[in-house]
Amino acid sequence: MTRVGIHDISLATGQHVLDLDELAAFNGTDPAKYHVGLGLDQMSVLAPDEDVVTLAASAALPLIREHGTDGIRTLLVATESGVDESKSVGVWVHRLLGLPAGCRTVELKQACYSATAGLQAALGIVARNPGERVLLIATDVARYDLDSSAEPTQGAGAVAMLVSAEPGLLTIEPVTGVRTADVDDFWRPVDRSTALVDGRLSVSAYVDALTGAWDDFAERGGVPVEQIDRWCYHQPFTRMSVKAHQRLGRHVDAPLAAEDLDDASRYNRRLGNCYTASLYAGLASLLDHDDDLAGRRVALFSYGSGSVGELFTGVVEPGYRSAERALRHAKTLDERKPVDVGRYRELHRAAVHTSDVDIDIPVASGTPFRFAGVRGGARQYVAAEHLAE
Ligand code: COA
């Protein structure tokens, strides 16, 4: 059988960063609640000329530069913060990246889960046509109301993955455990720019989805827990993955420890929540920080409120280490420009645009791709001059 999986991975995030110590000082919270209780240190904040389209294209650019576009006949973009109810984020990304016209492009949605549906679809496409590659991008901006209890769990990020036969990073194994249950734990009605959430219910719904997906995985012949070497979870806040991991340990009667998750949460502590991209930012973090992964089996748990969970495994390929990739990701996080709480609140309020009025968005970020404004109701995206040449 053809080996299929993730050939390469790339992370992008917003141009700004808010240190959660500053948010804690502003709203009179003990900073330990954020650092320890939620397991978050910072959140990425977007400049006015960034959104999920520019993040997605920026995440994928290094993959296109390194691996070219040959054989990419499918572009899947997963997001729950899309910018149009009809046109998919991927169509703009397709143009910005110069992908071949012979390409199917679609957007997927189911809260933070849909990138995993995209991955499973991509694996199927590649298994059937091993000469093809699929570009899969998870891209999101987590936005809650200012001054809400969910506010410190905002963030932004995109993760692009090239899915292929004979993958260079992670061969995905065929057994997968899935679970769907109708729960109102988190949702965003079409007339709102921020999500509504029942935080406590979302935590218990996440854990229920994990144990349910694990049981399905086990019933379908998934490997026993002792044969899993590393764990990677969806991380709306990194402490959520610790809670879930310990709960799964009790469920399967295995000693699953919080320290197991340290390497897979290093980026997420600094990004904040990035919804569909969160699990895969965790995977990038694990691959960039753990130097003993070759041949190891990683379990990945994907959760999207509402709710859908999926647990699956992959085996890490021997050549997975890349100093260049790790350096690029470190720079992406380190080079964000800090904002204070006042500026963050301005950016939060200014992030929503009506399509009724034409606007020009001045250059703000210096990123490879920009949201340039609205013309005749349509959003405009441009590549930086050096890319457009
Ligand atoms: N030092 C250390 N820890 C502290 C603390 C302090 N000074 N103060 C509070 N904490 C801990 C709490 O004990 C709690 O940990 P626990 O759950 O292990 O007991 C944690 O910090 C959070 O405190 P809590 O009072 O529950 O926070 P909250 O009511 O402000 O809400 C969320 C937390 C996650 C519910 C809220 O941020 C939210 O709704 N987020 C969005 C939804 C989400 O991400 N859901 C996840 C599943 S998808």
Side-chain angles (χ1 to χ4, degrees):
M1 201 167 73
T2 315
R3 286 191 306 111
V4 288
I6 300 171
H7 186 60
D8 203 353
I9 192 164
S10 171
L11 168 74
T13 189
Q15 287 297 289
H16 293 300
V17 59
L18 176 68
D19 200 298
L20 291 190
D21 282 342
E22 300 218 12
L23 186 62
F26 176 82
N27 60 26
T29 300
D30 178 352
K33 173 171 177 182
Y34 297 162
H35 297 299
V36 181
L38 297 176
L40 293 171
D41 302 324
Q42 300 177 326
M43 67 164 81
S44 283
V45 176
L46 299 192
D49 61 354
E50 295 183 291
D51 67 10
V52 287
V53 175
T54 67
L55 286 183
S58 298
L61 184 62
L63 301 186
I64 298 302
R65 281 187 169 146
E66 179 153 357
H67 306 288
T69 61
D70 284 356
I72 299 182
R73 290 182 50 77
T74 305
L75 169 60
L76 304 175
V77 178
T79 185
E80 57 178 303
S81 38
V83 290
D84 194 284
E85 297 289 356
S86 173
K87 183 172 178 173
S88 83
V89 163
V91 172
W92 286 294
V93 173
H94 176 275
R95 171 176 57 81
L96 292 171
L97 293 174
L99 295 181
C103 182
R104 65 171 73 82
T105 300
V106 73
E107 185 172 309
L108 299 110
K109 181 179 71 179
Q110 172 31 54
C112 305
Y113 163 74
S114 63
T116 301
L119 178 59
Q120 295 297 348
L123 294 169
I125 289 168
V126 172
R128 204 168 61 161
N129 304 292
E132 289 189 20
R133 301 183 296 167
V134 176
L135 180 59
L136 166 65
I137 312 174
T139 181
D140 264 310
V141 182
R143 275 169 55 79
Y144 298 100
D145 286 340
L146 293 172
D147 306 314
S148 66
S149 63
E151 184 181 20
T153 66
Q154 298 176 112
V159 175
M161 290 167 276
L162 205 53
V163 177
S164 74
E166 308 299 325
L169 292 183
L170 190 72
T171 292
I172 307 290
E173 297 183 297
V175 179
T176 177
V178 287
R179 183 180 186 276
T180 292
D182 184 0
V183 186
D184 288 334
D185 61 331
F186 170 112
W187 65 105
R188 183 168 67 84
V190 287
D191 57 347
R192 287 186 61 99
S193 72
T194 54
L196 297 170
V197 61
D198 180 337
R200 297 287 157 85
L201 180 61
S202 74
V203 170
S204 65
Y206 180 120
V207 170
D208 289 347
L210 171 62
T211 52
W214 174 269
D215 290 345
D216 188 49
F217 176 78
E219 273 169 31
R220 297 185 148 259
V223 295
V225 71
E226 312 79 63
Q227 288 178 29
I228 295 173
D229 304 303
R230 301 287 188 276
W231 296 84
C232 203
Y233 287 85
H234 169 53
Q235 299 171 65
F237 51 98
T238 72
R239 177 93 187 127
M240 179 70 240
S241 60
V242 173
K243 280 173 189 273
H245 194 53
Q246 291 172 334
R247 177 72 181 78
L248 183 65
R250 292 194 293 279
H251 185 68
V252 298
D253 197 18
L256 299 182
E259 306 75 64
D260 296 348
L261 307 182
D262 286 352
D263 282 334
S265 66
R266 293 186 198 283
Y267 292 158
N268 303 68
R269 290 190 73 93
R270 301 178 64 192
L271 291 165
N273 194 358
C274 45
Y275 292 163
T276 53
S278 160
L279 169 64
Y280 298 97
L283 176 63
S285 183
L286 180 67
L287 294 165
D288 288 349
H289 291 98
D290 187 329
D291 57 14
D292 184 27
L293 281 183
R296 307 270 184 206
R297 178 174 285 114
V298 183
L300 296 102
F301 176 65
S302 180
Y303 176 71
S305 290
S307 66
V308 180
E310 180 158 356
L311 189 139
F312 60 103
T313 56
V315 177
V316 180
E317 293 299 320
Y320 77 96
R321 283 294 269 178
S322 163
E324 194 185 322
R325 183 187 67 230
L327 188 67
R328 192 177 70 237
H329 290 161
K331 278 179 69 172
T332 298
L333 289 161
D334 293 347
E335 291 181 356
R336 292 172 297 172
K337 297 171 202 69
V339 284
D340 61 19
V341 174
R343 180 63 180 145
Y344 144 71
R345 289 173 72 94
E346 273 171 28
L347 289 168
H348 190 284
R349 290 196 190 97
V352 184
H353 303 284
T354 168
S355 54
D356 296 338
V357 185
D358 284 358
I359 46 160
D360 289 319
I361 304 282
V363 178
S365 62
T367 50
F369 305 103
R370 307 180 35 240
F371 168 50
V374 177
R375 279 272 168 275
R379 292 173 79 91
Q380 307 295 311
Y381 293 94
V382 293
E385 259 174 45
H386 68 279
L387 292 167
E389 282 161 8

